[in-house]
Amino acid sequence: MTTWLPIPADSDFSIYNLPFGIIETPSGRMGAGVPIGDYVIDLVAAADAGLFGARRRHVQLFEQPTLNNFIALGNDFAKRIRRRLQQWLCESKLPKNSTDILYERSQVRVHLPIQVGDYTDFYSSLEHATNVGKMFRPDNPLLPNWRWLPIGYHGRASSIVLDGTPIRRPCGQILPKGSETPIFAATQQLDFELEIAFVIGKESRLGHPIPIEQAEEHIFGLLLFNDWSARDIQRWEYVPLGPFLGKNFASSISPWIVTLEALKPFRTRGPVQRPTPLEYLRLRGWHHYDIALEVSIRPKDGPETVVCRTNTRYLYWSMAQQLAHHTINGCNVRPGDLMASGTISGPTSDSFGSLLELAWGGQKPISLADGSTRTFLLDGDTVIMRAYAQRGHLRVGFGQVCGTILPAIKGD
Amino acid sequence: MTTWLPIPADSDFSIYNLPFGIIETPSGRMGAGVPIGDYVIDLVAAADAGLFGARRRHVQLFEQPTLNNFIALGNDFAKRIRRRLQQWLCESKLPKNSTDILYERSQVRVHLPIQVGDYTDFYSSLEHATNVGKMFRPDNPLLPNWRWLPIGYHGRASSIVLDGTPIRRPCGQILPKGSETPIFAATQQLDFELEIAFVIGKESRLGHPIPIEQAEEHIFGLLLFNDWSARDIQRWEYVPLGPFLGKNFASSISPWIVTLEALKPFRTRGPVQRPTPLEYLRLRGWHHYDIALEVSIRPKDGPETVVCRTNTRYLYWSMAQQLAHHTINGCNVRPGDLMASGTISGPTSDSFGSLLELAWGGQKPISLADGSTRTFLLDGDTVIMRAYAQRGHLRVGFGQVCGTILPAIKGD
């Protein structure tokens, strides 16, 4: 596809991508937007220019503070919008209305793309579960249920924040090594977790499982997700009901929802699953995705160091399996629900998706480009996650999700 | 207080109560309502009749499908509304506008009172934690962290349903006793959990803990809560990240939010806490409540049997402690968030708040009035929970939350 718009070759936002987000225009109007190269398409203005027909209906749909209403209309509708935008971008000459519809990306503010109803976090990387298991439960690293079901738990929706939001170092109860009495302190083991999350588009009815063959119809698209974690707080609280304050102080998401449609060319075979999953988790075909991921740390006033390179194809459980499992008991899903993969770790020690694993629980500090080392995050550190899929000239990227650590609030 | 309205002496909805809910009038209008005796006050009509001044503003506020906007205005505002209603109910003669404002309760449909943002479940009964611990972890019943912090975890908001909604028996993975291979089946261990939940009124800012002295200002009121549980599904899935499909198929709430203000006369001393909690969990004064609770089972076509009588005063951790803990890491709360107590069990075997405990993991079946026995719930069983606080003539009740078990959906 050839467009009249100049798009850098390495842009995450090629004409094959066209993800959706929420922008605030220079005049302060909130609405849906689609990044393309270094620009963003204002969907409200595009609708008002008649790009999608039925002018008023489309303006109303896009002039919203979140994408929830739009994505609830289903993937076929979003597909039509994307195709129409591609067509418009490929018109043989610069369309007259382009200046009304396009902004430079630096001119707009981005906002949270969705109002998240429920947020679920899975634990779908075999390598991550094994690594963490070795550290938290040396006798019993991979639990017997892990290869039978995509383990997951519910997380906090209220503290999901956008790329760029600073992250306050949390305080809480911590059990010092060798002690039986917890102390109250700022976490000394602040960590990131590199994850991919999917956004539910189509709702399901309470009491009615989503069959695995239909699972992908309920997925609108994907986001980058940083599940910030305080390991010392988590370790003391998590038995028997799971992580709570060690996680729910913040999770960061990238601003643009990359549609499953745009990621179709990057489908790939997943790992062999042994034992064979139960019937309701079986699905023919390829349902994993080949998306390259990386994490950088940038110390205050220092240069950035890539500390992890991995890929979503390492995930053991597919999104379709996660969603089929999540609803097999009749649990319902709603547009805007978010389901994250769990930390994505690969097989090699430079492909682990958390500092806990990269620095092996504090035992193997990692080195940064400025000469400093890290076992966990320091105040002033910025964590930057990036993701993209690429095959030849075809590039579909996520942009980034970053966050800078602020010092803990001082007690009275 | 003396009212012109006839109110049965044993009504949960005395003039001292005046809880809030959402009603649908015979004409199909949704809005806020307040039950009183066998009647309900239509707050939209009351606002329109000028009862609260600023007619249009109050009509707009109350003519909503949920109470979220109303409760976000804070407890002082709700207090003013309740006082005004008490005044109106105590006018020296029947007010002319009473027929426009009052409905018989049987004339209106009730709806979910709030849109729940995030739902958290605590685990705050020492007796329950000890009982369950003995069954799930015989070597290690009460874990070392339990007396230091109010253990909690995040639950599912989408599957919170109203009193009366039928509950479909969920299917899922279950590990048969002695086997290492799970099967897919309908749960054979369907259970209730008797809980009280509080509704957040005033929001808090991300990164800013709610000091325990201010915690109750953020609590709008309380509901009865049934945290339906599938024990066999839960047992297989819950390590290491906590309960998931064993819980998230449904939770039922009662329709009327009883304000903390109405429950003030029923404050009571909580249990002695040893060890002394850390500073951020310490609060002078009485912050527990004396609310009697009971659970009945009514088999299909059979009579009702009360299977549990207990009291919220047995809870170890107070709501103020729960909320201070929940936010100590900076996690924010929003109006409409729901936080449940966890199963409320008392010291005696007839005061346990779940069948798991009452029938001791299947070992001691309980007898019902129709001569049948139960270890877990059967299809067709209706579970009814009731709660009220009473001191002399002062009665403040919750009404009930009930649900009938439907058979599992047959597989293909």
Side-chain angles (χ1 to χ4, degrees), chain A residues 115-123 137 143-145 148-159 161 165 168-173 180-184 206-209 233-234 236-250 278 280-281 325-334 337 339 409, chain B residues 115-123 137 143-145 148-159 161 165 168-173 180-184 206-209 233-234 236-250 278 280-281 325-334 337 339 409:
Chain A
Q115 186 187 358
V116 178
D118 280 292
Y119 148 52
T120 300
D121 197 23
F122 284 94
Y123 190 55
R137 294 173 302 278
L143 292 159
N145 55 13
W148 285 105
L149 53 86
I151 296 276
Y153 67 104
H154 292 294
R156 183 89 193 164
S158 71
S159 53
V161 297
T165 307
R168 180 71 64 184
R169 178 180 295 273
C171 295
Q173 288 197 27
E180 293 186 353
T181 304
I183 57 166
F184 179 78
L206 186 62
H208 295 263
I233 295 173
Q234 184 184 346
W236 171 233
E237 74 176 358
Y238 92 105
V239 178
L241 300 184
F244 187 49
L245 302 191
K247 299 276 194 179
N248 67 10
F249 58 95
L278 297 182
Y280 78 95
L281 293 173
H325 181 66
H326 200 315
T327 62
I328 190 62
N329 66 345
C331 179
N332 59 328
V333 299
R334 299 179 294 191
D337 287 352
M339 304 198 179
I409 290 180
Chain B
Q115 187 188 358
V116 179
D118 279 291
Y119 148 51
T120 301
D121 197 23
F122 284 95
Y123 190 55
R137 294 173 303 278
L143 292 159
N145 54 14
W148 286 106
L149 54 86
I151 296 277
Y153 67 104
H154 292 293
R156 184 88 192 165
S158 72
S159 55
V161 297
T165 307
R168 180 70 65 183
R169 179 180 295 273
C171 294
Q173 287 197 27
E180 292 187 353
T181 305
I183 59 166
F184 179 77
L206 186 63
H208 296 263
I233 295 173
Q234 185 185 346
W236 171 234
E237 74 177 356
Y238 91 105
V239 178
L241 300 183
F244 187 50
L245 302 191
K247 300 274 195 179
N248 67 10
F249 57 94
L278 297 182
Y280 79 95
L281 292 172
H325 181 66
H326 200 316
T327 61
I328 190 63
N329 66 344
C331 179
N332 59 328
V333 299
R334 298 178 295 190
D337 287 351
M339 303 199 178
I409 291 179

Side-chain angles (χ1 to χ4, degrees), chain A residues 1 54 71-72 129 132 155 184 186 211 235 251 276 296 300 305 367 380:
Chain A
M1 284 188 273
I71 66 180
V132 172
F184 179 78
R235 190 176 295 111
S251 311
T276 304
S296 289
K300 192 170 189 304
T305 307
S367 297

